[in-house]
């Protein structure tokens, strides 16, 4: 039995349909509806970036044209032998072809395996091998990466891959997308008309790979109905309709990008996509396309503000601007109403759960600084603290409902975990949260070894790869905050050679294996220390990458005298509690700063008592200066109190104001 034959139980299906949470049709039915009701309405407006950051052009498809290309592309896939239950892998950049391609696979009841263009060849091969993709569609080259060549080299090792389709220059043995998919009238040769489609919204329809709650890469298997819960929740919460223009700059091969591909189909709105991001293009697109609803990560909003030098961009048609995927910086929350004329809302969701919570229009203007919102979909949330849930002792966040995926599927182990069979259907999100006081939640950190924000880094996978380096005896990956509230990875190693391996050497080693670029550790880089003692300061033991229990629960990284010396982030279960001592100075990739000095200036949060180096005294990281938000908590010496207002980087801090 294929893992993709999994289905929800009849009882679950009947329950969710009776409650109006699931339905008997899917996105094909949505497209048929709008093709009939408003065939000439613009369904897709796809922007392509030009040679300069501000340059771009656009292509538009009506709903009638959208349906036409779905049928044509479905005919092409049928000609290639795709049948119900077959896996179709794809990773084109955003564009007008993506929506029709996704729905074409849906029309044939195939299983979609979307993969972002930023994923490296190493991870791509493992995914395609695990899911057994029979057809794979890719761009030839994108952002300087030759995707077609990488696929060509791994193809002999992928036993189930029958066809390689290339958008762009196709070599011998490859199928040219333009001539085969776009310019051949397959809809006249094969029985793939949309009107004849019999949808099965409870079948396994799409598989999104994620790092998961443990850092182990795994796929989340969704049906059209489980994913529909998040789409309909967004539509209802924001009252999206045919009058709206929706936009998310995220990849359509990513969960939020896919949601914003289906949202216009459900509501009859116009969906805007952009293939190559820049702040200049984003700002221009908002005005030119008349975007009314935008969902994105905070970095994209910051880019648009910077592109206009912080000047107000009103009047705009924009009525909803929502951020998510990572912590929203407080200054950004304050800046958005002035620049865009609307408050910044925040949403929480994840690949396995879909869209979960969202701040509402009736919340205080700055509520995104204090909450991650309340459930905007029919979703049960359960915060399970060890004792009482407080800022210092947040609870693990569990989710249950019709939007939770059917199962997770291990990329390397092939382990299938059916969610309904675990803990009465409750899914452990891996996040730590507290109630926000208004019926919602506030995320406080993560309970397990995940690093990242919008995109997660699979910690165990990267550590295992580094352990194969001859210069590494032991390694632990830890996260450090960057200026947009996200996290990047730092490698803490026990060297096996003298002199010890450098950060550049480790990065080259992982790059040579074609590892995904944003998985690879970055400055502040490498700490040559005792990685076996590197431990999260949280309530749960973090396992060694080899599973041998060398890390001790509740222990910090220590030097050979047992003195805690390294820390990259504060707060419960967030990271390592950083210390600075007379004997060791700064560690974890930082240049030694010498003994503590009363003359140095520090910032201290008046609420949680965390102390931070002031910018002028911040030490430099290995290979590059530390960015403004890459300071690390310091031991508290005599300090000069500074008149500064800025968010505290400790998530467990209730108020979060530095002084």
């Amino acid at each position: 039995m294929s893992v993709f034959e999994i289905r929800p139980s009849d009882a679950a299906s009947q329950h969710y349909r009776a409650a109006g949470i699931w339905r008997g049709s899917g996105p094909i039915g949505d497209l048929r509806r709008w093709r009939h009701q408003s065939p000439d309405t613009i369904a897709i407006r796809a922007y392509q970036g030009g040679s300069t950051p501000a340059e771009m052009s656009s292509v538009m498809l009506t709903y009638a044209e959208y349906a036409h290309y779905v049928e044509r592309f479905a005919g092409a896939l049928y000609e290639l032998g795709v049948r119900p239950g077959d896996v179709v892998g794809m990773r084109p950049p955003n564009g007008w072809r993506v929506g029709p391609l996704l729905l074409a696979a849906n029309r044939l009841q195939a299983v979609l395996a979307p993969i972002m263009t930023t994923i490296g060849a190493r991870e791509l091969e493992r995914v395609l091998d695990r899911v057994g993709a029979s057809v794979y569609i890719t761009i030839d080259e994108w952002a300087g990466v030759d995707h077609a060549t990488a696929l060509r080299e791994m193809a002999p090792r992928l036993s189930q891959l029958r066809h390689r389709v290339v958008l762009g220059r196709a070599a011998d043995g490859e199928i040219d997308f333009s001539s085969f998919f776009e310019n051949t009238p397959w809809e006249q040769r094969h029985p793939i008309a949309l009107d004849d489609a019999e949808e099965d919204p409870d079948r396994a329809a799409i598989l999104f790979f994620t790092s998961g709650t443990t850092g182990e890469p795994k796929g989340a298997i969704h049906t059209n109905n489980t994913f529909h819960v998040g789409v309909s929740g967004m539509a209802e919460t924001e009252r999206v309709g045919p009058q709206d223009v929706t936009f998310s700059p995220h990849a359509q091969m990513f969960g939020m990008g896919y949601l914003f591909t289906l949202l216009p189909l459900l509501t009859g709105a116009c969906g805007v996509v952009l293939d190559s991001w820049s702040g200049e293009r984003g700002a221009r697109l908002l005005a030119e396309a008349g975007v009314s609803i935008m969902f994105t990560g905070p970095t994209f909003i910051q880019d648009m503000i910077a592109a206009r030098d912080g000047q107000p961009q009103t009047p705009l048609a924009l009525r909803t601007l929502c951020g998510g995927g990572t912590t929203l910086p407080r200054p950004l929350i304050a800046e958005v109403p002035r620049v865009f004329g609307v408050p910044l809302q925040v949403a929480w969701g994840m690949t396995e759960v879909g869209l979960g919570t969202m701040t509402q229009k009736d919340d205080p203007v700055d509520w995104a600084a204090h909450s991650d919102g309340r459930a905007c979909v029919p979703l049960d949330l359960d915060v399970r603290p060890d004792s009482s849930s407080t800022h210092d002792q947040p609870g693990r966040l569990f989710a249950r409902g019709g939007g939770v995926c059917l199962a997770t599927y291990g990329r390397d182990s092939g382990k299938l975990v059916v969610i309904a069979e675990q803990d009465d259907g409750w899914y452990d999100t891996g996040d730590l949260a507290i109630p926000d006081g208004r019926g919602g939640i506030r995320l406080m950190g993560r309970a397990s070894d995940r690093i990242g924000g919008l995109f997660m880094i699979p910690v165990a996978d990267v550590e295992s790869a580094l352990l194969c380096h001859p210069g590494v005896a032991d390694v632990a990956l830890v996260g450090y905050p960057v200026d947009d509230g996200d996290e990047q990875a730092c490698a803490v190693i026990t060297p096996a050679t003298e002199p010890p391996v450098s950060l550049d050497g480790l990065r080259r080693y992982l790059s040579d294996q074609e590892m995904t670029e944003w998985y690879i550790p970055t400055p502040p880089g490498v700490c040559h220390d005792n990685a076996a003692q590197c431990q999260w300061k949280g309530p749960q033991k973090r396992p060694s990458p080899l599973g041998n229990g060398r890390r001790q629960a509740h222990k910090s990284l220590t030097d050979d005298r047992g003195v805690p010396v390294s820390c990259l982030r504060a707060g419960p279960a967030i990271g390592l509690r950083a210390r600075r001592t007379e004997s060791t100075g700064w560690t974890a990739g930082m240049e030694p700063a010498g003994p503590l000095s009363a003359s140095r200036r520090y910032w201290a949060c008046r609420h949680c008592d965390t102390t931070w180096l002031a910018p002028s005294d911040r030490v430099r990281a290995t290979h590059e200066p530390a960015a403004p938000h890459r300071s690390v908590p310091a031991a508290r010496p005599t300090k000069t109190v500074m008149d500064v207002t800025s968010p505290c980087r400790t998530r467990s801090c209730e108020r979060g104001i530095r002084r």
Side-chain angles (χ1 to χ4, degrees):
M1 175 181 172
S2 167
V3 296
F4 301 118
E5 294 179 31
I6 183 175
R7 298 179 63 86
S9 68
D10 291 341
S13 181
Q14 292 170 8
H15 168 74
Y16 287 125
R17 290 195 188 196
I21 298 171
W22 287 359
R23 55 182 183 163
S25 62
I28 297 298
D30 296 332
L31 180 56
R32 281 199 310 249
R33 173 191 177 191
W34 299 112
R35 179 181 65 175
H36 173 71
Q37 293 186 10
S38 51
D40 298 325
T41 298
I42 300 300
I44 298 173
R45 186 166 186 177
Y47 283 86
Q48 300 98 40
S51 58
T52 67
E55 184 181 349
M56 61 182 182
S57 59
S58 68
V59 174
M60 291 181 282
L61 289 186
T62 65
Y63 272 102
E65 292 168 330
Y66 197 160
H68 165 73
Y69 278 110
V70 170
E71 291 182 335
R72 179 159 292 189
F73 292 174
L77 290 172
Y78 190 91
E79 177 71 14
L80 296 178
V82 175
R83 298 295 185 269
D86 289 344
V87 178
V88 176
M90 59 179 70
R91 66 164 173 182
N94 289 357
W96 70 265
R97 302 172 182 85
V98 176
L101 263 178
L102 293 168
L103 263 68
N106 247 301
R107 169 62 185 87
L108 299 180
Q109 297 191 10
V111 179
L112 285 161
I115 303 166
M116 294 185 296
T117 55
T118 54
I119 295 298
R122 172 182 177 270
E123 287 70 44
L124 171 64
E125 181 173 350
R126 295 184 180 189
V127 169
L128 294 181
D129 182 55
R130 174 57 59 194
V131 302
S134 61
V135 174
Y136 183 71
I137 304 167
T138 187
I139 189 74
D140 58 351
E141 184 274 337
W142 191 254
V145 178
D146 192 339
H147 294 288
T149 297
L151 179 63
R152 194 177 308 131
E153 291 173 350
M154 69 180 72
R157 300 187 294 272
L158 299 171
S159 59
Q160 298 185 63
L161 183 62
R162 300 195 305 265
H163 301 288
R164 290 172 284 131
V165 183
V166 177
L167 181 59
R169 300 182 308 275
D172 291 342
E174 298 169 345
I175 297 170
D176 177 71
F177 184 92
S178 181
S179 62
F180 192 87
F181 275 72
E182 294 179 37
N183 300 325
T184 304
W186 298 112
E187 71 279 6
Q188 300 175 14
R189 309 184 193 182
H190 297 303
I192 41 71
L194 298 186
D195 290 337
D196 298 331
E198 296 182 1
E199 294 187 271
D200 178 7
D202 291 334
R203 68 177 181 86
I206 192 164
L207 178 73
F208 287 108
F209 272 87
T210 174
S211 70
T213 58
T214 63
E216 175 190 0
K218 60 186 68 174
I221 302 176
H222 277 278
T223 69
N224 282 329
N225 262 334
T226 59
F227 207 88
H228 169 73
V229 174
V231 179
S232 61
M234 173 72 78
E236 293 172 11
T237 300
E238 297 305 314
R239 297 179 174 85
V240 186
Q243 75 282 358
D244 282 305
V245 178
T246 67
F247 173 57
S248 175
H250 299 299
Q252 292 174 275
M253 301 290 100
F254 174 62
M256 184 49 60
Y258 185 62
L259 187 151
F260 267 72
T261 299
L262 298 185
L263 180 63
L265 277 173
L266 178 65
T267 60
C270 172
V272 174
V273 296
L274 173 63
D275 66 351
S276 181
W277 172 261
S278 72
E280 291 88 344
R281 292 180 190 134
R284 176 185 158 190
L285 182 153
L286 284 186
E288 183 178 301
V291 171
S292 57
I293 296 172
M294 180 178 180
F295 189 106
T296 184
T299 301
F300 297 88
I301 303 172
Q302 292 168 329
D303 288 346
M304 292 190 294
I305 294 174
R308 294 291 189 267
D309 296 324
Q311 296 301 309
Q313 298 183 34
T314 53
L316 294 171
L318 192 67
R319 64 181 179 86
T320 297
L321 180 57
C322 187
T326 188
T327 304
L328 299 184
R330 286 174 182 256
L332 182 64
I333 296 170
E335 189 83 344
V336 163
R338 182 186 67 81
V339 175
F340 297 102
V342 294
L344 180 58
Q345 296 171 245
V346 63
W348 167 83
M350 59 189 304
T351 306
E352 299 92 329
V353 174
L355 181 65
T357 66
M358 189 172 177
T359 54
Q360 310 292 313
K361 291 288 197 298
D362 59 356
D363 287 325
V365 173
D366 66 343
W367 192 236
H370 308 281
S371 171
D372 289 276
R374 55 187 183 268
C376 59
V377 300
L379 181 71
D380 296 326
L381 296 174
D382 186 17
V383 177
R384 302 180 184 178
D386 291 336
S387 53
S388 60
S389 181
T390 67
H391 286 82
D392 293 326
Q393 294 294 328
R396 294 182 74 104
L397 180 63
F398 289 75
R400 181 177 66 177
V404 178
C405 64
L406 288 185
T408 59
Y409 187 34
R411 187 197 69 186
D412 300 327
S413 66
K415 181 181 180 181
L416 183 72
V417 178
V418 180
I419 306 304
E421 298 174 357
Q422 314 294 317
D423 191 17
D424 196 26
W426 287 101
Y427 183 75
D428 184 355
T429 68
D431 288 318
L432 297 172
I434 59 172
D436 69 357
R438 288 174 60 91
I441 60 169
R442 181 182 179 188
L443 297 184
M444 306 300 290
R446 290 186 288 275
S448 52
D449 57 343
R450 297 192 301 167
I451 297 173
L454 191 59
F455 302 119
M456 287 295 171
I457 298 170
V459 173
D461 191 35
V462 179
E463 288 178 337
S464 295
L466 286 171
L467 282 170
C468 295
H469 189 287
V472 176
D474 201 0
V475 61
L477 225 62
V478 291
Y480 66 93
V482 291
D483 55 359
D484 59 3
D486 216 330
E487 284 181 320
Q488 292 183 3
C490 168
V492 185
I493 72 167
T494 298
T497 59
E498 188 62 41
V501 64
S502 67
L503 171 64
D504 286 342
L506 287 180
R507 287 181 57 84
R508 282 194 302 271
Y509 175 75
L510 296 178
S511 294
D512 288 345
Q513 297 185 46
E514 298 183 302
M515 178 175 282
T516 298
E517 176 63 27
W518 43 272
Y519 289 3
I520 300 176
T522 60
V526 178
C527 170
H528 296 129
D529 222 297
N530 185 1
Q533 296 297 319
C534 178
Q535 180 57 69
W536 297 110
K537 291 287 289 186
Q540 178 170 339
K541 178 178 174 181
R542 179 186 174 198
S544 163
L546 297 182
N548 58 12
R550 287 173 296 173
R551 292 188 178 91
Q552 302 294 320
H554 306 290
K555 292 260 180 116
S556 298
L557 177 65
T558 59
D559 63 11
D560 55 6
R561 293 178 296 276
V563 179
V565 296
S566 176
C567 132
L568 295 173
R569 192 139 180 200
I574 297 295
L576 301 172
R577 168 62 66 179
R579 303 275 172 82
R580 180 172 180 267
T581 68
E582 292 283 341
S583 62
T584 61
W586 289 99
T587 57
M590 300 295 184
E591 297 174 1
L596 291 175
S597 170
S599 65
R600 288 181 177 270
R601 294 179 300 162
Y602 294 82
W603 287 348
C605 177
R606 65 171 63 94
H607 298 287
C608 70
D609 213 38
T610 297
T611 306
W612 305 77
L613 267 177
S616 62
D617 296 308
R618 186 169 291 116
V619 295
R620 291 180 177 270
T622 305
H623 302 304
E624 68 173 29
H629 291 282
R630 292 181 186 173
S631 57
V632 297
R636 192 182 184 108
T638 304
K639 64 180 184 298
T640 300
V641 176
M642 302 181 66
D643 184 16
V644 177
T645 300
S646 183
C648 180
R649 299 300 295 183
T650 305
R651 287 194 183 185
S652 60
C653 175
E654 180 176 7
R655 302 289 183 83
I657 303 297
R658 292 181 186 151
R659 66 182 180 187

